[in-house]
Amino acid sequence: MGLWYDETFDGHTRLGLRVKQTLFSDESPYQKVEVIDTVAFGRVLVIDNIFMTSEYDEFLYHEMLVHPSLTTAPEIERVLVIGGGDGGTVREVLRYSDVKECVMIEIDQTVVDASKKFLPSIGTAWDDPRLDVRFIDGIDYVKHSDDPKYDVVLLDGTDPIGPGAVLFDQAFYQGCKRMLAPDGVMALQSASPLLMMDVFVETQHKLRSLFAEVHPYMGPVPLYGTGTWSWTWCSDTGEPLRAIPERQAEIVEAAKAYNDELHRAVFALPNYVKRALKL
Ligand code: SPD
């Protein structure tokens, strides 16, 4: 049978991957960081026993986090990414020629160093001169920074468990909004509505208290619990379905999943989600 690595979700359900070998394992000052090589999902980044991303399905997550906001924001010159230490999110952001500067705030340098070494197919844009990676605390940054405002803010955090839980706090979202230009767009991963309905609904309420337009959208990510995942598009102006065709044209050829039809489709919510959100 060989060796298996399990992520246990709620004490009752787990997803197991058959492991070929462990490539990296370290206890950083913040968390346990591992990279395992698996039979079915290729190399997988694991943080505190939670599967973060895999070579097999990372595009489904990263393209969906990035492209609905980058194709709809009025300006995309300055982009802020919080988290995303594997490099998949900044890779997608830097596909746009209109992006002049992408600041990535990641608290844990161990995640970036391990990803650069063991997940080179995910982080293909580390050497892009527009990228500015800072190993500092994102909470502190959005609360106190006097950097110029950003056109787009993307939150690529972990699950709301352990140290990652603060990335789901109202105070953190307020800070992110403080860093956003008035017409800017923020997008974030917002958990699985099936597995974490409470977190999902609570997150929507927190965001609705801050932004005039809050639109969750959904798609598959097989590596994550239940395989059903959500992201949320937020802004005070603008509309999530009004994508700029020239921007889409620039990235669609390299995209493995994103296209205009999918952009429209992911915002269509199933009834159980609409009812939970009283839409
Ligand atoms: N259940 C795990 C959710 C992790 C979301 N973020 C992943 C980071 C990939 N860049």
Side-chain angles (χ1 to χ4, degrees):
M1 281 292 279
L3 189 65
W4 289 75
Y5 196 115
D6 290 343
E7 178 183 340
T8 303
F9 302 118
D10 49 7
H12 310 291
T13 319
R14 61 192 181 187
L15 173 66
L17 299 179
R18 194 134 74 93
V19 177
K20 290 201 262 188
Q21 61 171 320
T22 298
L23 299 169
F24 178 83
S25 179
D26 193 20
E27 202 60 65
S28 84
Y30 306 100
Q31 52 208 351
K32 184 166 80 175
V33 181
E34 295 168 283
V35 181
I36 55 175
D37 194 10
T38 70
V39 177
F41 279 66
R43 294 181 175 195
V44 179
L45 174 67
V46 190
I47 293 183
D48 284 342
N49 299 89
I50 301 175
F51 295 138
M52 283 296 127
T53 200
S54 81
E55 288 180 320
Y56 171 64
D57 69 350
E58 59 85 18
F59 67 98
L60 291 169
Y61 173 86
H62 292 119
E63 291 187 18
M64 281 303 125
L65 174 62
V66 172
H67 298 313
S69 50
L70 268 285
T71 54
T72 51
E75 305 291 335
I76 56 170
E77 203 162 298
R78 279 176 54 77
V79 178
L80 172 65
V81 175
I82 298 190
D86 51 76
T89 294
V90 297
R91 176 199 72 215
E92 291 304 316
V93 168
L94 291 164
R95 289 196 195 284
Y96 295 85
S97 55
D98 284 346
V99 172
K100 300 292 177 246
E101 191 181 4
C102 178
V103 174
M104 180 183 134
I105 307 283
E106 165 63 63
I107 197 166
D108 196 346
Q109 183 164 1
T110 306
V111 177
V112 173
D113 289 347
S115 300
K116 279 185 177 171
K117 186 156 180 199
F118 296 106
L119 301 168
S121 68
I122 295 179
T124 55
W126 292 120
D127 294 330
D128 192 308
R130 298 169 295 164
L131 179 61
D132 173 2
V133 180
R134 304 182 197 172
F135 298 111
I136 54 173
D137 182 356
I139 320 272
D140 198 53
Y141 178 77
V142 297
K143 201 165 171 195
H144 300 296
S145 169
D146 50 21
D147 281 354
K149 307 280 183 215
Y150 291 91
D151 301 309
V152 177
V153 173
L154 300 170
L155 309 184
D156 185 9
T158 178
D159 286 339
I161 299 166
V166 282
L167 298 183
F168 284 76
D169 279 354
Q170 178 85 352
F172 174 61
Y173 295 144
Q174 249 157 359
C176 293
K177 186 165 188 198
R178 194 182 76 81
M179 296 309 295
L180 197 59
D183 287 343
V185 174
M186 177 166 111
L188 58 144
Q189 72 93 350
S190 44
S192 165
L194 276 178
L195 189 68
M196 292 173 260
M197 183 55 105
D198 294 356
V199 176
F200 172 76
V201 171
E202 222 178 279
T203 302
Q204 301 302 311
H205 288 313
K206 288 176 189 169
L207 295 168
R208 282 184 195 171
S209 74
L210 289 172
F211 291 95
E213 299 289 334
V214 175
H215 299 272
Y217 55 101
M218 292 172 62
V221 184
L223 185 67
Y224 300 161
T226 73
T228 296
W229 207 251
S230 83
W231 302 261
T232 303
W233 185 104
C234 316
S235 173
D236 275 339
T237 60
E239 287 171 38
L241 293 183
R242 197 164 286 177
I244 298 168
E246 294 74 21
R247 295 239 192 99
Q248 291 180 310
E250 190 176 19
I251 54 108
V252 89
E253 206 167 310
K256 288 191 191 168
Y258 178 86
N259 56 39
D260 185 52
E261 299 95 298
L262 195 64
H263 184 133
R264 291 166 195 289
V266 292
F267 285 93
L269 297 175
N271 290 343
Y272 74 93
V273 173
K274 284 173 134 181
R275 287 175 192 142
L277 297 177
K278 303 194 180 6
L279 293 176

